[in-house]
Amino acid sequence: MYRMSSKQSEKVYSTSKRVVRQDRMMRQIIRIGGMGIIISVLGIFVFILSQVLPLFFKAEVQRVASFHQNPGALGAIGLDEWGEIPFMATANGRIAFFRSNAPSQAPEWVAPFETNNDWKFYRYLPDSQRLLYGNALGQARWIQLKFSPNFDQDQRKINFDWVMSPIFDLQKTATDPEAEEEAETGTGANPTLLDLALGGQEDGILLAALVQMGDQTQVHILPLLQEETMMGSGDLKPGNPEIISDPFPSKPRKLQVNESGNAILVALDSGEIQYFISKNHTWTKQQSFVPFQGLPNPSVASMDLLLGGASVYLTHSGGKNVVFSLLIPHGETERRWVQVKSFPDLPGAAEKFAKSLRNRAFLVTSGPHAALNYGTTEAIRWEEDFSGPLLGAALSKKYHRLALFEAPDALHLYDLIDPHPEGGWKAFFGKIWYEGAPGPEYTWQSSGGSDAFEPKLSLIPLIVGTLKGTLYAMLFAVPISLLAAVYTSQFLDPNLKKVIKPIMEIMASLPSVILGFLAALWLAPRIENAVPSLILVILVLPPTILAFGALWQKLPQTLKTKLKPGREWLLLLPMLCLFSWLAWEAGPILEKWVFTVPDPQTGGVIADFRLWWTAKTGSAFEQRNSLVVGLIMGFAVIPIVFTLAEDSLAAVPNSLRSAALALGASRWQTAFKVILPAATAGIFSAIIIGFGRAVGETMIVLMATGNTPILDFDIFSGMRTLSANLAVELPEAPFHSTLYRALFLGSLVLFLMTFGVNSIAEMMRQRIRKKFKAL
């Protein structure tokens, strides 16, 4: 017998150096590729996180300049649109303008009024840049400030100017030349002017005043109408004055006119606020309420409207501060003022207030304390205590600068860095009471029809919509795909399996936009009027299949052998088609028996499932609904789950199958009690991958639903998912805006949802593998 030497044996059985080098190279390539994938995923996560984190930062305030000028009796401070010209107006009508790029330069003073006058400052209106003054004669006028940029060699310089309005007498039908003479000489009536307010749009302004006439206090109202001429808009002409002379229960102290000029708020000494609206040119008291009822001395210390005029910020002398908004309460038909927000207590009464003209932010001072609040989320964006009392506050129109006047003579100008005041955990995941809503709610509404729109950026409806669409899709897809995988791997004719398996794999590659198109234009209209038929088909199919199985088991063996094993479906398929057709045709009969409602027009009874559903549940029946999404998205998920599950079932060793059959188990017992448990880990992975496919689906849910972000699991309503929201909103979102970053937050939530589910699924899969490792 021939024996190899040890050297010959080593040469025959040793691995060649070339193979070793290739093996090492491939291991390095695989390692580098794996690390590259991990780094790429982490890079995507870090990038998304970098876009999201600024949403949760607080505002930053950086001092730009300080100006020192003692104005005497300060009326108000303000800023131009660009935040480069802070100014302060005195109580007697003098105005000082400062330049932020020259803080050491003396201010430029203007004096629109004569030196000796009895005009008194009442309020500054930042939206129209008006300084409102009144006198002891019950007359009013304003100084209109105008700012314009001028460019010289790419250097911008802001120029300022002012225009004095005519004198408007709140007790006369029109202004006349005698009014100015009365203002200068002091002749005429001698009412006491308690407060002045101005509201309305440019084409129609409402001037209102609290006037004390002896022992009685009245609200005098003067509409100012824009005169139209051949050359365009002309001067403001006063209309007929009106008086609210209803006796007040206590003395009125404060007055506010809304931005539309059709409503007035009057605060009384007793703490009561009375709300008047104009209906058919008549002022009617709509509501009375006491915002600080139950507190000692409930008198309102300050009353200021937020952007849009539908919310009012109220403070108490003890520091309590709240926001009331106009809304229609449940069960009522008229809008009323209801408390919707409450902020942390101030050190005392709010003394100065400045609202943002871009959002619901507002700046408030109390003694030496200043706070920048955001009205929607009740968040304090910034706060600081100063060494002296703060006598003035202002915000720029662009919400990028603020100014504070610190007693006795310091006017401070700051850069305001707060690009996302609408952000925060509560804005995206909390329940918020929005303006006009009857209660706190989760709402996504990123845009509106006016500059005063309040963005609603809750992600909860989108998360619920994502889970809702996924749930209905998986309910439809998982049973069908798993049962099909079991039948295909264990019972189907191997020759047919070679055809069926590739077809299912090709189905997985169908473009989702095609499926969405079919769902929206073909499936949804057909299901809309045939829900009872669909219900009957779903109820009839399982009993039909079970009945066929029971009948097949009772057939004589001689008959069974005539059909090749794995071809039983040839008998089942016609039976399913027949009973499905019968069930579908019986749908209208079921609708006439069960789903009937009274006809509101004729009083008779009509059969209509859509009306019946709305009457019974209170939810609208929408054509493009979750049922349509579940069917068509389930159709997209079925091939994925089927293919992976069938591979797992087919990978179970034949020895297990043979052993079970040898011990007397039937084919079904073998499939469900031996093969299925052994393939559980792979089947579970298939379901999770299908879940990931459904969660991330975009085009189907975008086209097959109403794409409305609502918060319910109603099967006949629509939805909006996180992925569909990205597709709809991102093209229109301004770069680095709050909406832009909120969409990235939605993508981060979607990323974490799928990552979390996959991580939990992997841990469960490992446990399942250990459990069935012995098999």
Side-chain angles (χ1 to χ4, degrees):
M1 180 182 293
Y2 175 73
R3 293 179 178 271
M4 291 189 294
S5 64
S6 59
K7 290 184 177 181
Q8 288 175 326
S9 178
E10 290 177 4
K11 185 176 181 180
V12 171
Y13 293 104
S14 63
T15 305
S16 66
K17 294 181 179 180
R18 183 172 64 85
V19 173
V20 172
R21 286 196 300 269
Q22 289 177 347
D23 180 67
R24 289 176 179 173
M25 182 178 68
M26 293 307 298
R27 277 189 292 176
Q28 290 297 325
I29 291 174
I30 293 171
R31 185 179 294 111
I32 292 171
M35 291 299 297
I37 292 173
I38 294 174
I39 292 172
S40 299
V41 173
L42 287 176
I44 294 171
F45 179 79
V46 169
F47 171 73
I48 295 175
L49 193 62
S50 69
Q51 300 298 313
V52 167
L53 284 178
L55 291 171
F56 303 96
F57 293 160
K58 282 188 169 288
E60 294 182 24
V61 172
Q62 300 173 356
R63 185 173 293 187
V64 175
S66 291
F67 312 91
H68 293 276
Q69 182 71 44
N70 193 336
L74 180 66
I77 65 172
L79 289 167
D80 67 305
E81 180 180 353
W82 299 269
E84 297 181 13
I85 306 291
F87 62 88
M88 58 185 181
T90 65
N92 63 356
R94 298 179 68 227
I95 309 171
F97 296 91
F98 302 84
R99 294 197 178 274
S100 59
N101 56 1
S104 59
Q105 182 179 325
E108 302 177 49
W109 285 92
V110 297
F113 294 108
E114 296 79 3
T115 304
N116 297 319
N117 68 81
D118 62 350
W119 291 100
K120 177 185 174 183
F121 174 82
Y122 279 90
R123 69 181 64 212
Y124 167 57
L125 306 170
D127 48 351
S128 57
Q129 296 283 20
R130 291 187 176 110
L131 296 163
L132 186 59
Y133 288 82
N135 63 16
L137 302 176
Q139 298 169 334
R141 71 189 316 180
W142 62 79
I143 302 170
Q144 175 77 61
L145 301 180
K146 295 185 177 182
F147 298 92
S148 59
N150 184 33
F151 294 90
D152 183 15
Q153 296 181 353
D154 295 333
Q155 295 294 321
R156 184 176 64 191
K157 181 181 179 182
I158 305 300
N159 298 321
F160 58 85
D161 197 1
W162 56 271
V163 176
M164 182 71 76
S165 76
I167 297 174
F168 297 102
D169 195 326
L170 289 152
Q171 302 178 77
K172 295 188 176 183
T173 57
T175 56
D176 56 17
E178 297 177 2
E180 293 195 24
E181 181 181 350
E182 291 178 357
E184 296 175 1
T185 61
T187 60
N190 189 28
T192 302
L193 197 60
L194 300 179
D195 198 7
L196 267 178
L198 191 68
Q201 308 298 326
E202 290 299 327
D203 57 345
I205 296 176
L206 191 74
L207 185 61
L210 279 179
V211 180
Q212 184 171 345
M213 307 290 292
D215 295 334
Q216 186 182 14
T217 303
Q218 301 173 340
V219 179
H220 289 216
I221 302 168
L222 181 64
L224 306 175
L225 305 177
Q226 187 80 53
E227 187 180 41
E228 296 294 334
T229 66
M230 295 291 293
M231 303 302 294
S233 298
D235 297 331
L236 286 170
K237 294 296 182 181
N240 294 324
E242 301 173 71
I243 296 177
I244 301 176
S245 58
D246 296 341
F248 294 101
S250 62
K251 188 173 183 178
R253 287 296 185 185
K254 294 176 178 60
L255 185 71
Q256 283 288 351
V257 178
N258 71 344
E259 293 184 4
S260 301
N262 59 1
I264 294 175
L265 286 168
V266 181
L268 311 182
D269 269 346
S270 62
E272 181 182 346
I273 294 179
Q274 296 195 353
Y275 173 51
F276 297 87
I277 62 173
S278 177
K279 290 184 177 180
N280 300 320
H281 305 288
T282 301
W283 288 91
T284 307
K285 185 169 71 173
Q286 186 77 3
Q287 180 189 2
S288 295
F289 61 98
V290 182
F292 301 114
Q293 192 166 18
L295 295 179
N297 183 21
S299 179
V300 175
S302 68
M303 178 174 65
D304 298 280
L305 292 171
L306 300 185
L307 179 67
S311 293
V312 61
Y313 176 68
L314 305 169
T315 66
H316 182 258
S317 58
K320 187 174 179 61
N321 55 125
V322 296
V323 172
F324 276 66
S325 290
L326 272 175
L327 56 93
I328 302 177
H330 291 291
E332 299 188 23
T333 58
E334 296 287 343
R335 294 207 304 171
R336 303 179 67 83
W337 291 97
V338 176
Q339 182 180 334
V340 297
K341 302 286 190 302
S342 178
F343 290 88
D345 288 355
L346 297 169
E351 296 167 358
K352 296 298 176 182
F353 173 90
K355 68 180 179 182
S356 168
L357 299 178
R358 286 208 165 189
N359 48 51
R360 292 304 188 282
F362 57 91
L363 180 63
V364 62
T365 69
S366 177
H369 180 77
L372 180 67
N373 299 334
Y374 192 71
T376 300
T377 57
E378 301 173 84
I380 299 177
R381 303 297 301 168
W382 165 84
E383 59 182 341
E384 187 174 329
D385 289 316
F386 291 77
S387 57
L390 298 172
L391 306 180
L395 282 169
S396 66
K397 283 189 175 181
K398 295 184 178 181
Y399 191 66
H400 71 302
R401 280 191 171 178
L402 64 86
L404 293 167
F405 187 88
E406 183 181 5
D409 62 355
L411 176 60
H412 304 299
L413 180 65
Y414 298 89
D415 274 334
L416 173 58
I417 306 169
D418 191 19
H420 310 294
E422 307 93 343
W425 288 105
K426 186 173 183 179
F428 300 118
F429 303 105
K431 197 175 246 189
I432 293 179
W433 201 334
Y434 296 103
E435 280 186 358
E441 58 188 13
Y442 300 106
T443 305
W444 174 277
Q445 186 181 359
S446 60
S447 60
S450 69
D451 293 337
F453 170 74
E454 185 179 29
K456 305 169 182 63
L457 301 176
S458 175
L459 294 181
I460 300 300
L462 307 179
I463 295 172
V464 170
T466 302
L467 296 176
K468 178 180 176 181
T470 303
L471 171 66
Y472 288 121
M474 297 302 284
L475 284 176
F476 176 70
V478 170
I480 294 176
S481 56
L482 291 186
L483 292 174
V486 171
Y487 182 79
T488 302
S489 64
Q490 304 302 313
F491 301 99
L492 189 64
D493 186 350
N495 293 325
L496 286 175
K497 180 180 176 181
K498 294 178 182 179
V499 177
I500 297 296
K501 187 75 180 295
I503 292 176
M504 294 296 291
E505 291 172 349
I506 291 173
M507 283 175 57
S509 64
L510 282 174
S512 59
V513 67
I514 301 299
L515 296 177
F517 177 81
L518 291 173
L521 300 183
W522 177 77
L523 182 61
R526 280 158 178 77
I527 289 181
E528 180 183 14
N529 298 315
V531 173
S533 298
L534 185 62
I535 293 174
L536 277 181
V537 170
I538 294 173
L539 293 176
V540 164
L541 283 181
T544 302
I545 296 172
L546 293 175
F548 175 82
L551 181 63
W552 178 261
Q553 292 294 329
K554 292 184 179 181
L555 287 177
Q557 194 65 29
T558 54
L559 293 178
K560 292 182 183 179
T561 55
K562 292 185 178 181
L563 192 64
K564 187 178 179 181
R567 297 291 180 96
E568 297 88 351
W569 62 273
L570 292 173
L571 297 178
L572 175 62
L573 186 60
M575 190 173 179
L576 288 178
C577 292
L578 174 63
F579 280 92
S580 297
W581 176 78
L582 292 174
W584 187 270
E585 293 298 320
I589 300 175
L590 176 66
E591 189 173 35
K592 290 179 180 179
W593 284 352
V594 179
F595 305 115
T596 58
V597 291
D599 189 345
Q601 296 181 351
T602 63
V605 177
I606 57 174
D608 192 318
F609 179 85
R610 296 169 298 176
L611 298 178
W612 176 89
W613 179 261
T614 301
K616 293 296 182 181
T617 66
S619 301
F621 183 98
E622 299 178 12
Q623 185 190 77
R624 300 182 184 183
N625 52 48
S626 303
L627 177 62
V628 176
V629 172
L631 293 175
I632 217 69
M633 192 155 66
F635 186 79
V637 172
I638 284 174
I640 297 172
V641 178
F642 168 82
T643 300
L644 297 176
E646 200 279 333
D647 288 341
S648 299
L649 292 165
V652 175
N654 284 327
S655 57
L656 292 177
R657 183 183 296 104
S658 300
L661 293 173
L663 291 172
S666 66
R667 294 169 66 193
W668 282 103
Q669 289 175 324
T670 301
F672 282 96
K673 293 186 178 182
V674 177
I675 305 301
L676 199 60
T680 302
I683 292 173
F684 189 74
S685 297
I687 294 174
I688 294 303
I689 292 173
F691 177 87
R693 169 74 169 84
V695 166
E697 178 55 50
T698 302
M699 293 309 298
I700 291 177
V701 293
L702 185 64
M703 301 175 70
T705 71
N707 209 29
T708 305
I710 56 178
L711 192 64
D712 63 42
F713 278 89
D714 185 355
I715 193 172
F716 295 112
S717 66
M719 74 192 85
R720 181 184 287 193
T721 64
L722 287 165
S723 55
N725 192 59
L726 284 169
V728 171
E729 302 271 7
L730 194 58
E732 304 297 329
F735 185 62
H736 281 175
S737 65
T738 301
L739 174 59
Y740 177 87
R741 295 189 187 278
L743 294 174
F744 272 93
L745 178 61
S747 67
L748 179 63
V749 170
L750 187 61
F751 180 91
L752 293 177
M753 284 174 59
T754 55
F755 182 80
V757 169
N758 288 338
S759 299
I760 295 172
E762 179 61 22
M763 290 188 291
M764 295 180 65
R765 190 181 71 86
Q766 293 295 338
R767 292 186 63 181
I768 293 171
R769 286 188 65 183
K770 289 181 182 179
K771 182 178 179 180
F772 295 103
K773 188 175 181 180
L775 297 177

